[in-house]
Amino acid sequence: NITIHTVGKNSPFHGANIINHGYVSDKDTLIGIYKECDIMLFTSQVDNYPLVMCESLILSTPVIATHSLAANEVLSRVGGRSASNTDELLTTIKTKKWLETLYDKQSLDTISKRAESYFSIERMMKEYIDVYS
């Protein structure tokens, strides 16, 4: 009873309950997809700092991610973490206990407010400037 929406090129997922949106460059379209979803499943292993995770968290859509350094870097900013393995990932999705399991029982409102604060334009620009200074 789960419908999966994928965004991005070359989705490996296909089936009756899969909606592949492909590459989405329009932010309004992407925001509309985020708002329709209960969770975002982030499986990329190649992103170095996935802004889509930041955007999703700010819009109150929790992220469940496979283990990667990039996913952990983003999620740690809001008190979350990635799933340690596939079994934890699937159990978390099936039981709908993502806030309890991956976000230390924080409310979605708390996570969203932390994301809004941490991923603000001012803070992100300061971090980028500091890196290059």
Side-chain angles (χ1 to χ4, degrees):
N1 296 326
I2 295 175
T3 300
I4 298 174
H5 293 254
T6 68
V7 175
K9 297 178 184 177
N10 306 317
S11 172
F13 305 105
H14 302 283
N17 64 332
I18 308 288
I19 299 170
N20 290 310
H21 295 275
Y23 176 73
V24 176
S25 61
D26 177 67
K27 287 289 184 193
D28 290 332
T29 301
L30 193 56
I31 288 169
I33 294 168
Y34 290 149
K35 287 183 175 183
E36 285 185 36
C37 296
D38 294 323
I39 60 169
M40 171 195 262
L41 177 60
F42 186 82
T43 61
S44 176
Q45 298 294 306
V46 297
D47 287 282
N48 58 2
Y49 198 90
L51 292 177
V52 294
M53 290 177 67
C54 305
E55 294 166 341
S56 182
L57 291 163
I58 288 169
L59 292 167
S60 297
T61 305
V63 176
I64 296 178
T66 54
H67 181 72
S68 74
L69 293 175
N72 281 332
E73 184 177 359
V74 170
L75 293 173
S76 69
R77 306 297 191 222
V78 297
R81 66 173 179 84
S82 63
S84 55
N85 56 50
T86 305
D87 288 338
E88 182 181 36
L89 181 86
L90 292 174
T91 300
T92 302
I93 291 171
K94 287 178 184 176
T95 61
K96 297 183 179 183
K97 294 189 180 260
W98 47 81
L99 296 177
E100 293 90 340
T101 305
L102 301 176
Y103 291 92
D104 198 27
K105 299 180 183 175
Q106 297 181 81
S107 72
L108 190 50
D109 189 50
T110 298
I111 294 165
S112 181
K113 283 186 169 86
R114 289 179 85 177
E116 223 175 280
S117 172
Y118 194 86
F119 302 119
S120 70
I121 292 170
E122 296 80 14
R123 185 174 182 123
M124 295 302 286
M125 287 303 295
K126 182 180 179 339
E127 277 194 20
Y128 278 112
I129 291 168
D130 289 349
V131 165
Y132 295 109
S133 293

